[in-house]
Every structure is written in structure tokens, then in C-alpha cells.
Amino acid sequence: LDQLFNTGVDASHNLLPNGALDPHYALPASSVPSGMPGGYVPGFAKATTTPWDLVSPWSKWIAPDVNSVLCPGGLYTYNTTFSLPTGANPATASISGRWAADNGAWMYLNSVTPANLVSTIPGPTGFAQWTVFTVPPGHFVPGANTLFFVVTNREIYTGLRVEFTKKS
């Protein structure tokens, strides 16, 4: 599963500079609240430095704009798409990792429905700690798969951070 990337990294897994568009995570205009700041580029998330950083050299926070302090309250749905390699068995594939989000969040695989729920981050302190997750075998489909991250923003800051620790 080489097509899965942590948030805020480039194709070589190097951290993106502050304000760079994350090439691996989409944030479509239809999945953000109205009133986005002027720096938001529809369809993209930006690597950002936040006032509540978790220490890790493997990922960076992403948000609608580098200045996540101006983002309106509501739900933000990020997504990343990957394909199972040729010959991979969807019945035995699995992914594990950790993630954080402000203020609370839900992770889904292949559609945003309760039956496809992978993990939750309870609010309001999801930004202050890592939450471990596993997508167990039997949840993948042959070909393209999409992870959705629905992030709640209650106040002025918003962001998402994901690190994959096992991809098999």
C-alpha cells in the first residue's frame, strides 16, 4: 500500500513546507462549511503549523488554510484514495496508524456511513493526543479505496493529522 501517505508529506515522505498543498489529501469545496478564509484553495488541504503540535517527524497537520485560526465552525471532510496492489487480497489487507483532529472526528472507509466507521476521536481534546486506529481485514474492495476523515470544528481552529504505521 505504497499509495498511502501521512498528512503533510510529499511523494518522498518529506514534510511539506508550511502553506504547501498536500497532494495526497483532498478537501472538496462541497465538504467544508460556508465562509472559508480567502487562502482556502477548493479541493485541497494545506500543510500547517498549529499552536497545538504533537511531536513527530513523520507527519504534519493539514487544514483548509495555513492560518487555520480563521476557519468557520462545522464539519470538514478530508479524503485520501489508494489502490490495493495487483494481486493483493482485500480479505487480508489491513492498515494501522494513529491520528488526531480538532475537535472530534470520524474515520470511514469507502463511504461515509455508520457501517463503514473505522475509528472516532472524541471531542473536544482530539487535537491534544494521538488516537490509534486499525482498518481490519475484510473491509477493503479490489482496486480503489478511499478513507474519509470527518472533522468537527467547534471554534476557530481546525486540522487533521494522520500517520500510518502498518500497511499490508
Side-chain angles (χ1 to χ4, degrees), residues 40-69:
Y40 168 63
V41 177
F44 294 94
K46 290 183 179 179
T48 184
T49 302
T50 67
W52 23 262
D53 211 0
L54 297 171
V55 177
S56 173
W58 310 113
S59 69
K60 199 167 186 176
W61 287 97
I62 58 173
D65 187 31
V66 69
N67 187 0
S68 64
V69 70

Side-chain angles (χ1 to χ4, degrees), residues 99-101 103-106 119-123 125-127 129 131 160-161:
W99 67 312
N103 291 99
W106 306 268
S119 178
T120 61
I121 295 176
T125 60
F127 62 88
Q129 64 213 16
T131 297
L160 171 68
R161 194 157 180 187

Side-chain angles (χ1 to χ4, degrees), residues 16 111 119 126 153:
L16 292 168
S111 71
S119 178
N153 181 31

Side-chain angles (χ1 to χ4, degrees), residues 82-121:
F82 60 97
S83 293
L84 292 180
T86 303
N89 184 349
T92 60
S94 70
I95 300 171
S96 297
R98 62 187 189 169
W99 67 312
D102 177 48
N103 291 99
W106 306 268
M107 182 190 307
Y108 299 91
L109 179 65
N110 293 327
S111 71
V112 186
T113 62
N116 294 324
L117 182 65
V118 173
S119 178
T120 61
I121 295 176

